[in-house]
Every structure is written in structure tokens, then in C-alpha cells.
Amino acid sequence: MAERAGVNQSTVSRALSGDPSITDQTRARVQEAANALGYRVDARAARLRSGKTRTIAIIVVARPGMDATEINPFHYNLLGSTCAAASEMGYQALVSFQSEPEHFDRHFIETRQADGMVLLGTSTNDAAWDYHHPILSRSDVASWGSPFTDHDRVDADNCAGARIAVERLLASGHRQIAFIGDTAETQKQFRERYESYVEVMREHGLEAGPPVWKPAAMRAEQGRKSAAALITSRRDFDGIFCSCDAMAFGVLETLQERGIAVPGDVGVIGFDGLGSGAHSNPPLTTVEPDFRKAGVMLARKALGKQKADDACRVPVRLVERGSVRKPTEG
Amino acid sequence: MAERAGVNQSTVSRALSGDPSITDQTRARVQEAANALGYRVDARAARLRSGKTRTIAIIVVARPGMDATEINPFHYNLLGSTCAAASEMGYQALVSFQSEPEHFDRHFIETRQADGMVLLGTSTNDAAWDYHHPILSRSDVASWGSPFTDHDRVDADNCAGARIAVERLLASGHRQIAFIGDTAETQKQFRERYESYVEVMREHGLEAGPPVWKPAAMRAEQGRKSAAALITSRRDFDGIFCSCDAMAFGVLETLQERGIAVPGDVGVIGFDGLGSGAHSNPPLTTVEPDFRKAGVMLARKALGKQKADDACRVPVRLVERGSVRKPTEG
DNA sequence: CTGAAAGCGCTAACAC
DNA sequence: GTGTTAGCGCTTTCAG
């Protein structure tokens, strides 16, 4: 390659890497020779020598035995956004779906495969999160959705999001608003949403109820069971703020089965901005995090380019669809 | 590292890579030293020296300006399955979302970043597919959804899938079944579905109509417009086989708006097995490809481990939900 | 079974 | 502005 262009090996390297000290003429000759020979720099060698990887590893925690269709679309969105953000920053994305212990791997940085790591996915895979726990507080690791509370995390602005949701319900005249969601210790994001819900209700002189939640394997089923429990409890309600869209879909189904009209009798708002909410029955009004910013924050945090910790809150917005009626006048 | 264990560098390499010629005792000593020092093999150096990459590059073609939530979940499913398959085969997945020309990159193999490539994503990004066209027929490249017809492809068993869908509609007593979908040259999969629809209709002595399709930016909108066009055409229909779920959601909405009951008046079946079909109104009966096998086929093809070409058809199954009424007796 | 030596293909100091 | 030289951290002959 070098001889073909009539220059030294290092000149080839400089020319191809855009080193400004190379003459346009020389660079042209090198380019030409490279094209003629189909030459490309070997990324492995370049990275070995330069000590960099220009790669960010993204680990998606999944549940054992689940196939691709069962992964929460929210995590796919996060994955896509993170890949896009990495690319924008000139980094590649090495992605690893991890569900079974035999595939657990947290050593992408030590093995010099990546400069930073992003962890995301379902919080309901204890073995996986236990395995990854030790690295969650590292400065070159960013995570979304971990069940632990002893480390920084990137997350939606749950507080602002819950406020938007509850105030939207209030604007439509709802006063007896219930919260459906899992507020277990390991679900920090849902706890935050619940707490904000309580706060907003109080501010308006209204009574906030306890969180309603029934366990099940999948979110939609949790939603169905929780909605049924809420109805059975004979507690009056005319609005539901649901901690996540996947559960809200189940809630919507049960309400419909029981003959409770949405948004006529009860207003429902979810959280996550899932695209499938556009086709649910009725279409689901929801709080959507800015996925693009989420990806950027995760990538930046993983690469140690994040300034303050408190900046790790992704802004949210309300996506108006059809599960809450129009705001009442005056 | 080597001195710490009191052995030669090459012994360390052999011990850690599981070379059977190393004594258990020696291996234990090496392991111990490695743990003590936090030593890990540098993947860049190992791959450079060995000449292998053990990596498969996955390129997801997206539309410019689209954010993560607008990517068809079908492609996310394919992506997830391919990553899982790669992992199962001992390969890593380097994933690259490509939408804008400045990020186009098809040289993952030449730059020794991957041993094989998988391309998938929306077929409606001409610049991207034109760019990738030259590599689509290579033996180390597998693709799903390309708009070109001059190369092998991995795809769902469209023929069998269309048959299952149409026969299911027939089983519920529908006789005037319409096909909604884009059968343009560049949409090979939809053409195949349409052709099978025609064939099955003929077999049953029924008349197959022309494909119904109206252009729009997004699939759901195409579905809405197409359904409207079908209704306006005053052509009688009591069943619709829709070429993909994303369009079917739009079809369902328009039918509902026009007061046409599904599955009461009209039965609807989609294709793709999107998870969100479980929450649509009504839940969408659909033909689902086996995503796990799809991922395996894509990965195998990319690594040149696929036997015959005709084996690149992924089996499909019917997912019964609520958009077709129960089969009629006898 | 283990050691010695070579070298994968680059990039980065350092010359000039 | 370009050449010379060294060496990134491994794996792989080849010896013994």
C-alpha cells in the first residue's frame, strides 16, 4: 500500500486519518492508491496502537426465555436512541442482550472493547442486576432502570412527568384520581411518580390514595389485575394515573370489560410514550420522555462527559391522545 | 502478569483461552494471578493477532430525522433476535443505525470490525439502500427488507403466511376478501403476500381483487387512506388481509370511524406479529414470523453458514386475537 | 507441556 | 511535510 503510493507507511496513516500536516497532493495520491487496492485501515490494529476504542457497549437486560417481541418497546427506544447518540458522538455501539447467567458480561471496558458502558432493560431480572451491581456506580457506566438505589442513574424527569399527568387529569375536572403502579423499593422511578402524584393532589387540596398494584409476570397483566382490584375496592375514582404505558394497556382493557367508559367515566394517563398507545382503545394519553435526549445523556454519562449528576433527568412532555377528555372550560 | 504467575506470556494466553495442553495446576496459577491483578485479555490485540473478529455488524436502516419511537417495532424485534442469535453463536453485535448519508458505512468487514454483516430496516430510504446495494449479494452479508430483487434475502415465509391468513378469513365465512398493501416492485414481500392471496382465493373459486393501497409517509396513515379508498370504491368486502400490522392499525381505525364493526361486519388479519396488536381496537389477529429463527438465519447467512438459499424463509404462525370472528361450524 | 521469538497492522515520537 | 523507528498486547509457530 505504502509503496504503491510511493510514500511511507506513516504517511498513509496520516493522510487517511486527516492529519492536517499532509499535503493535499500527497493525500490525493494516497487516496488513489487506497482506492485502487481496496485498502482500508484495520480498525483492530489502529485501536490497539492508539489505545482508544471509540466504542460504547450497550447492555440490554432481558428476562430469561423471552423472545424479541416480548421486550418492552420502551427499552428498544432507549437502545435506538443510545446507538444514535453514540454515532453522533463518533462512537460505535456494541450491543449485548443479556438474560441468562451464562451470557452475563460486564467487562467490556477491561477487555478494551469499549470506552464506556450503558445498561438498560427490565428491572425484573435479579440475577442480571446483581451481577452488574458492582459497576453501576462507576464513572464510565450509565444506567437506566436499575433496581438499586446506591448509584446515580439516568431517568425521566419523573417528578415533572407525574405533575403534568395529574394536572392534566385535574384540568378535565377529575378529582378522585387513583395511582396504579408498583412502588416497591426496587422501582425507584415509579416511587418518584407516586410521590409527585401525592404532592400535586395535596397542593390542590385533594386526597391522594395509596398506590394500587397487583403482581403478575407481565406489565399488561399487572394492569388488568390492578384495575380489577381498584374496582373491587369500591373506592370511588374518576381518573387514573398509571405508572407506565404497558400497565395502562391492561388497565384500559379491564375498564372496558367492566363497562367503564374511557375517557367518559374515567380519564387515564400513562407514562413512557409508547408508540403502540396510538392504536390502543382508546388511544392512550401519556407522558413521554425525550428519547433523543435520553440517548445523549446515557452516552455522555458513559463516556464521562456529563457535568453534574442532577442533569441526568430527561425532560418529558404530554402526548395528548384520547384517554382523557378535553379540559373543562374556566 | 506472566511474571506474577511465574510463567511465560504464551502460557498465560493458552491458559486463559482454554488450551487443553495446559496443566490444571498451571491454569489455576494463571487464573489466580489474573484475578489478583485484575488482568483481562485485550480483545483488540487478541483479534489483531488471531485475525478474527468474532463480531457481526448489524445495520439498521432508518428514515432521516426519525426518532427511536418511530422505528417500526418489527425492525427492533429483528434486531433483538439477531443480537441474541449472534450471542448464541459466540459472536458480538456491533449495531449501527443509519439514516443520514454522512453516517452511511458498509465497510465493517474490510476494516476488520466484523466477520459478517446483517442489514435490515425500512425499505423507504432510497439513499441508504442505494449505498448498500453493492454488498447485498455478498456471501458475508444477509439482509431483510431490501427494495432490490437482484440478491438473496432472508424473509418470512410470505406464501405460507398469506395462505394461513386468507384461509382463516374463509373459515369464518368471509368470501369477499380484499388485500390492502403496497405491491410496488420494491416491496417484494408484499407482492408475494398478494400473489398468495390471489392463489388461495382462486383455489376456493373466489374472486381476488386488485391490491388496495394509498401512499402516505407512515404505514398507519397508508392504512387509513387505503381503507377509506376501499370503502369509497363501493366494492363489497367482508374481510381484509392487510400486508402488515402497522397498516392494519390504520385500517382498524378507519373502519371503526365509519361504523364498520370488526370482527362483526368485517374480519381483518395483519402480518408481522407486532406486540402492540394485543392492545389495538380490536386486538389484531396476525401472522407472526418466528423471530428467533429469523435472527438465527440472518446471523448464519452473514457468517456464511447457511446451506441452501431456499432455506431463508422463516416459518410463520397465526396469532389469534380479536379481529376475526370464530370459525363457522361445518 | 511450556518457553522463546516473531509479528499481526497500525500510530506516535522523534528526526530532518 | 514526510521518513524512521519503536512497540501497542496479544497469539502462534517452532523448539525442546
Side-chain angles (χ1 to χ4, degrees):
Chain A
M1 167 63 207
E3 42 273 30
R4 162 77 181 234
V7 295
N8 185 278
Q9 188 193 174
S10 42
T11 303
V12 172
S13 174
R14 287 191 269 249
L16 263 29
S17 68
D19 186 317
S21 74
I22 257 62
T23 323
D24 285 351
Q25 206 184 43
T26 310
R27 195 189 309 279
R29 213 165 60 246
V30 172
Q31 282 286 13
E32 198 177 344
N35 290 342
L37 276 60
Y39 171 85
R40 301 265 160 188
V41 306
D42 184 317
R44 298 168 301 189
R47 288 171 184 163
L48 172 58
R49 180 58 240 238
S50 72
K52 291 161 189 160
T53 76
R54 292 257 115 196
T55 300
I56 160 167
I58 305 175
I59 295 169
V60 182
V61 175
R63 294 245 292 278
M66 268 185 27
D67 75 35
T69 50
E70 296 170 298
I71 289 176
N72 191 330
F74 183 83
H75 299 132
Y76 276 129
N77 290 342
L78 231 36
L79 169 62
S81 309
T82 308
C83 287
S87 169
E88 215 59 53
M89 298 168 74
Y91 281 76
Q92 300 202 138
L94 192 59
V95 356
S96 168
F97 281 72
Q98 301 188 3
S99 54
E100 324 278 352
E102 60 265 38
H103 289 131
F104 290 172
D105 184 359
R106 65 182 176 213
H107 300 290
F108 293 93
I109 297 176
E110 293 86 334
T111 53
R112 316 323 315 268
Q113 304 198 78
D115 296 333
M117 291 173 59
V118 170
L119 271 107
L120 54 90
T122 177
S123 55
T124 54
N125 181 335
D126 291 343
W129 286 105
D130 285 346
Y131 172 81
H132 289 293
H133 193 180
I135 65 169
L136 293 175
S137 37
R138 275 167 41 173
S139 65
D140 48 8
V141 174
S143 64
W144 184 300
S146 130
F148 302 107
T149 54
D150 58 353
H151 61 89
D152 291 337
R153 64 186 56 231
V154 179
D155 200 351
D157 189 339
N158 296 310
C159 173
R163 175 170 296 274
I164 289 170
V166 176
E167 289 181 344
R168 176 64 186 79
L169 254 4
L170 291 169
S172 284
H174 301 298
R175 290 295 174 269
Q176 295 174 308
I177 302 171
F179 176 93
I180 289 186
D182 179 8
T183 52
E185 184 104 28
T186 56
Q187 303 285 349
K188 194 175 179 184
Q189 70 280 36
F190 300 149
R191 290 174 75 99
E192 289 183 2
R193 289 169 202 175
Y194 176 68
E195 282 158 18
S196 277
Y197 146 83
V198 171
E199 190 178 311
V200 177
M201 291 296 276
R202 294 246 165 91
E203 284 174 16
H204 289 261
L206 296 167
E207 198 186 344
V212 178
W213 188 74
K214 294 289 164 192
M218 303 297 288
R219 291 280 181 218
E221 181 61 15
Q222 291 169 18
R224 282 186 286 266
K225 286 189 171 180
S226 302
L230 176 61
I231 293 166
T232 307
S233 76
R234 313 213 117 265
R235 171 177 155 194
D236 284 329
F237 66 97
D238 60 4
I240 296 176
F241 171 37
C242 198
S243 67
C244 71
D245 285 358
M247 275 179 64
F249 295 139
V251 169
L252 252 24
E253 280 170 37
T254 294
L255 256 29
Q256 157 122 350
E257 277 166 18
R258 305 296 181 99
I260 299 173
V262 178
D265 300 331
V266 171
V268 176
I269 296 191
F271 204 117
D272 276 354
L274 294 196
S276 47
H279 311 298
S280 63
N281 181 27
L284 181 66
T285 294
T286 183
V287 176
E288 180 185 65
D290 184 328
F291 282 100
R292 222 177 285 248
K293 286 186 182 149
V296 171
M297 278 192 197
L298 285 167
R300 287 184 57 83
K301 171 77 166 64
L303 297 171
K305 291 181 180 171
Q306 197 67 14
K307 337 106 231 253
D309 301 328
D310 51 4
C312 290
R313 291 297 158 158
V314 177
V316 295
R317 68 184 181 98
L318 185 73
V319 178
E320 287 275 4
R321 293 202 276 236
S323 58
V324 188
R325 59 176 185 242
K326 291 216 175 67
T328 52
E329 304 295 332
Chain B
M1 171 59 208
E3 40 275 28
R4 162 77 180 232
V7 295
N8 186 277
Q9 187 191 171
S10 40
T11 303
V12 172
S13 175
R14 287 191 269 249
L16 262 29
S17 68
D19 186 318
S21 74
I22 257 62
T23 323
D24 285 351
Q25 204 183 44
T26 310
R27 195 188 309 280
R29 212 163 61 245
V30 172
Q31 283 286 14
E32 197 178 345
N35 291 341
L37 275 62
Y39 171 86
R40 301 265 159 188
V41 178
D42 183 318
R44 298 166 303 189
R47 289 171 184 162
L48 172 58
R49 180 58 241 242
S50 71
K52 291 161 191 162
T53 76
R54 290 258 114 194
T55 299
I56 163 165
I58 305 175
I59 295 169
V60 182
V61 175
R63 294 245 292 278
M66 269 186 24
D67 75 35
T69 50
E70 296 170 297
I71 290 176
N72 192 328
F74 182 82
H75 300 131
Y76 276 130
N77 289 343
L78 230 35
L79 169 62
S81 309
T82 309
C83 286
S87 169
E88 214 59 53
M89 296 168 74
Y91 280 77
Q92 300 202 140
L94 192 58
V95 357
S96 170
F97 281 71
Q98 300 188 4
S99 53
E100 324 278 351
E102 61 264 36
H103 288 131
F104 290 172
D105 184 359
R106 66 181 174 212
H107 300 289
F108 292 94
I109 297 175
E110 294 86 335
T111 54
R112 317 320 319 264
Q113 304 198 77
D115 295 333
M117 291 172 59
V118 170
L119 271 106
L120 53 91
T122 177
S123 55
T124 55
N125 181 334
D126 292 343
W129 287 105
D130 285 347
Y131 171 82
H132 289 294
H133 193 180
I135 65 169
L136 293 176
S137 37
R138 276 169 38 176
S139 66
D140 48 9
V141 174
S143 65
W144 183 300
S146 132
F148 302 108
T149 53
D150 58 353
H151 62 87
D152 291 336
R153 64 188 52 236
V154 178
D155 200 352
D157 189 338
N158 295 310
C159 173
R163 174 170 296 274
I164 289 170
V166 177
E167 289 182 343
R168 177 65 186 78
L169 254 4
L170 291 169
S172 284
H174 301 299
R175 290 297 174 266
Q176 296 175 305
I177 301 171
F179 176 93
I180 289 186
D182 179 9
T183 52
E185 184 104 29
T186 56
Q187 302 286 347
K188 193 174 180 185
Q189 70 280 35
F190 299 149
R191 289 174 75 100
E192 289 183 0
R193 290 168 203 176
Y194 176 67
E195 283 158 18
S196 278
Y197 146 82
V198 171
E199 189 178 311
V200 177
M201 291 297 276
R202 294 245 164 92
E203 284 176 15
H204 289 261
L206 296 168
E207 198 186 345
V212 178
W213 188 74
K214 294 290 165 191
M218 304 296 289
R219 291 279 180 218
E221 181 61 15
Q222 291 169 18
R224 282 186 285 266
K225 286 188 170 180
S226 303
L230 176 62
I231 293 166
T232 308
S233 75
R234 312 213 118 268
R235 171 176 154 195
D236 284 329
F237 65 95
D238 60 3
I240 296 176
F241 170 37
C242 198
S243 68
C244 71
D245 285 356
M247 276 178 64
F249 294 139
V251 169
L252 253 22
E253 281 171 37
T254 294
L255 257 28
Q256 158 122 348
E257 276 167 18
R258 306 295 181 99
I260 298 173
V262 178
D265 300 331
V266 172
V268 176
I269 296 191
F271 203 117
D272 276 355
L274 295 196
S276 48
H279 311 299
S280 63
N281 180 27
L284 181 67
T285 294
T286 183
V287 176
E288 178 183 67
D290 184 327
F291 282 101
R292 222 176 286 249
K293 285 187 182 148
V296 170
M297 280 193 197
L298 285 167
R300 287 184 57 85
K301 172 77 166 60
L303 296 171
K305 291 181 181 172
Q306 199 66 13
K307 339 106 231 248
D309 302 328
D310 52 3
C312 289
R313 291 296 159 158
V314 177
V316 296
R317 69 182 181 102
L318 185 73
V319 177
E320 288 273 6
R321 293 204 275 239
S323 58
V324 188
R325 60 177 185 243
K326 290 215 174 67
T328 52
E329 303 298 329

